[in-house]
Amino acid sequence: MMHLPILPILLPLLAGILLLLLRPLGLQVQRMVGFAVTFALLMLAVWLFDGALVGQRQVYALGHWPAPFGITLVFDQLAALMLLLTAILAVGALWYAIVTEIDAQGSHFHVLFQMQLFGLNGAFLTGDAFNLFVFFEVLLLASYSLLLHGGGKERTVAGLHYVVVNLVGSTVFLFALGALYGALGTLNIADMAAKVAELPAEREGLVMAAGLLLLLVFGLKAAMFPLYLWLPAAYANTSAPVAALFAIMTKVGVYAIIRVHGTVFGEDAGSLAYFYAPWLLGLGLITLVLAALGVLAAFRLRIQVAYLVLASVAMLLIAVGLHSETGLAAALYYLVHSTLLAGGLFLLADVIVRGRGAYADRFDPGMRLPHHALLGGLFMFAAVAALGLPPLSGFFGKLWILQAALEHPWRWAVLATVLISSAILLIALARSGSVLFYKVKDRPDAADPVLPAQISAFAPSLMAVLWLLAAVPLLVLLAQPVAEIMQQIAAQTLDTAGYRAAVFDPAVGGK
């Protein structure tokens, strides 16, 4: 039982190595092993999440080297939530890749998929800022290849942009870590929090500058203004299952802000307590406005979904920027909703595109789709959820964030920005739905391309879409218990004293 915290890291790592060795046996063997391991990771994540809710923090010191000298993994309720969310998303994305044979369009898809999960899970569990950088590089290395999987000109251009931007971000990350280490003498998150709490006044400027550099890096990962331009092209031009898995990638940046800044610059940080919050809130508001305008201006369905991901990230940045327990709980609820919804939307968009033939995902009126009513209904359902309209989970998440904002000095700016952006999103999605499902022709003109009679692998593809979209009604039906769980997770996450006690004395475990 003491080794449980490291299992979500070891399982995909060993699976990736095994899949590489199994490659000579063919793709079918890789598919069976890859999906079995991913489903096992989901079962493990469910078990760990259930244990985290009723237990204390678990600290795993690799090699039995105590903090802050060794590599420390910290398993708490927030990490457990992120592990579970990643596993749910991964099962849906991998199933879709297998049934549509997208995994056969290039080499090493299943190996890279497991390496991506390895990096993600490591980022959620690490208790050390330098190892956070290492796991960021692992997941980014895998994402570079997954993004380009299948090839194509547009995909290659978007991938090159993505690689260059993230390499610059990695360089800035190292600069920030060097400055923090020079000022504090440690990169263990709990130890940094303890050192900042006792920081001499003459070093506050250096630590604040390093903290802002880290915020810049995490903002780049989360696609925060002005560092968001890489996201629409990268997400819109990669394959659907990769884009669905990438729905969690921006949330890694948000998680890093909550974990690192929320712990190091939390309520015990003296004059540096929550110094980053106004920056986060202000940039989140700007990001939301630009994301809404991007959704309105999009001329392709996949680009529109990518901007919807950006809008969801902006809502999370706003909620975290409120730096309150209620705001963080609302952010976690909305994080679960928006991540699984975005993954489902990318897969649904791909099903629609495969039914439109040569029309692809352009917003051009075309012929009636196969399974027209079902796909139209699912699109409307997902659009209502993305807009945050009642009675679906997006409404509960946005309402909770707005309620948290009422206690903040910037409440009118938050209320106005969220409501205006929601109106813009409503106009954009209503137009998209009309073009795709209402302005259709029953008989083709001579110049119209021929649509496929059926969508290949339609039923199994739809299973993956429904797997992810099922979170929307479940978050409504279970709103009360889920909200209580999010409040519990938020309270533990903001308990920085308990986090430090758990890391330095694992027998204590914190609250």
Side-chain angles (χ1 to χ4, degrees), residues 74 99 156 158 160 207 267 271 322 394 409 432 449 452:
V74 182
V99 298
T156 302
L160 181 62
V207 173
E267 60 182 3
S271 60
L322 298 173
S432 304

Side-chain angles (χ1 to χ4, degrees), residues 79 304 365 394 419 502:
Q304 189 170 73
L419 294 177

Side-chain angles (χ1 to χ4, degrees), residues 172-452:
V172 177
F173 199 166
L174 283 176
F175 289 159
L177 292 180
L180 282 173
Y181 189 78
L184 302 176
T186 182
L187 290 177
N188 180 281
I189 296 173
D191 200 30
M192 283 196 293
K195 295 290 180 63
V196 168
E198 302 172 353
L199 191 68
E202 62 270 15
R203 292 191 180 181
E204 286 184 356
L206 175 60
V207 173
M208 181 183 290
L212 288 175
L213 276 179
L214 273 185
L215 185 65
L216 182 72
V217 173
F218 298 153
L220 171 64
K221 309 302 182 185
M224 179 178 69
F225 174 83
L227 305 170
Y228 71 93
L229 294 175
W230 60 269
L231 186 147
Y235 281 40
N237 289 301
T238 191
S239 62
V242 172
L245 182 63
F246 279 17
I248 195 69
M249 290 280 283
T250 51
K251 310 309 188 294
V252 177
V254 177
Y255 169 86
I257 293 171
I258 296 171
R259 177 65 77 202
V260 178
H261 285 79
T263 304
V264 177
F265 303 109
E267 60 182 3
D268 298 328
S271 60
L272 294 181
Y274 299 113
F275 81 91
Y276 63 93
W279 292 90
L280 194 62
L281 182 54
L283 293 173
L285 292 171
I286 297 172
T287 305
L288 181 58
V289 172
L290 294 176
L293 294 176
V295 173
L296 183 64
F299 58 93
R300 291 171 45 202
L301 179 58
R302 286 169 171 155
I303 291 178
Q304 189 170 73
V305 176
Y307 274 107
L308 285 173
V309 172
L310 185 61
S312 70
V313 168
M315 287 298 301
L316 293 174
L317 295 174
I318 291 168
V320 176
L322 298 173
H323 66 85
S324 67
E325 184 175 317
T326 303
L328 181 56
L332 296 177
Y333 182 94
Y334 195 80
L335 185 147
V336 174
H337 152 83
S338 61
T339 303
L340 297 178
L341 175 63
L345 267 170
F346 276 118
L347 300 186
L348 178 61
D350 191 67
V351 175
I352 293 171
V353 168
R354 289 191 289 120
R356 297 191 86 215
Y359 290 107
D361 64 342
R362 299 189 308 275
F363 288 134
D364 295 331
M367 296 296 300
R368 185 178 296 272
L369 286 167
H371 311 286
H372 186 85
L374 177 57
L375 293 177
L378 284 174
F379 180 84
M380 179 178 176
F381 173 84
V384 170
L387 288 169
L389 297 178
L392 300 182
S393 56
F395 172 74
F396 288 92
K398 278 192 175 181
L399 182 62
W400 200 357
I401 293 172
L402 293 178
Q403 285 178 336
L406 293 177
E407 303 173 2
H408 196 276
W410 290 26
R411 54 185 171 274
W412 294 115
V414 174
L415 290 171
T417 304
V418 171
L419 294 177
I420 292 172
S421 64
S422 296
I424 295 173
L425 293 177
L426 175 61
I427 295 169
L429 291 175
R431 183 196 63 185
S432 304
S434 298
V435 171
L436 294 172
F437 300 104
Y438 288 98
K439 294 181 180 179
V440 294
K441 309 176 209 176
D442 292 320
R443 295 181 180 178
D445 298 329
D448 286 334
V450 178
L451 267 63

Side-chain angles (χ1 to χ4, degrees), residues 33-197:
V33 173
F35 188 79
V37 170
T38 305
F39 192 79
L41 189 62
L42 173 60
M43 295 297 100
L44 175 63
V46 171
W47 184 29
L48 290 174
F49 183 72
D50 181 65
L53 293 180
V54 297
Q56 298 176 330
R57 293 181 177 93
Q58 297 183 51
V59 177
Y60 190 87
L62 275 74
H64 291 288
W65 284 92
F69 307 107
I71 298 174
T72 303
L73 304 178
V74 182
F75 175 74
D76 61 1
Q77 294 174 5
L78 179 59
L81 175 66
M82 299 305 294
L83 292 174
L84 178 59
L85 186 59
T86 302
I88 294 172
L89 193 65
V91 167
L94 186 57
W95 174 261
Y96 190 92
I98 291 171
V99 298
T100 57
E101 299 188 348
I102 289 174
D103 61 337
Q105 295 176 1
S107 301
H108 303 299
F109 178 89
H110 293 276
V111 176
L112 294 167
F113 196 92
Q114 295 300 324
M115 290 298 102
Q116 180 84 13
L117 295 180
F118 164 60
L120 287 167
N121 291 348
F124 296 140
L125 286 168
T126 186
D128 182 276
F130 184 78
N131 286 289
L132 179 62
F133 166 79
V134 172
F135 283 118
F136 268 23
E137 294 309 297
V138 171
L139 68 90
L140 285 172
L141 185 63
S143 70
Y144 297 154
S145 299
L146 285 174
L147 183 67
L148 298 172
H149 182 79
K153 180 181 177 181
E154 291 184 348
R155 191 170 295 180
T156 302
V157 171
L160 181 62
H161 188 189
Y162 175 81
V163 169
V164 171
V165 168
N166 279 282
L167 285 176
V168 173
S170 297
T171 304
V172 177
F173 199 166
L174 283 176
F175 289 159
L177 292 180
L180 282 173
Y181 189 78
L184 302 176
T186 182
L187 290 177
N188 180 281
I189 296 173
D191 200 30
M192 283 196 293
K195 295 290 180 63
V196 168

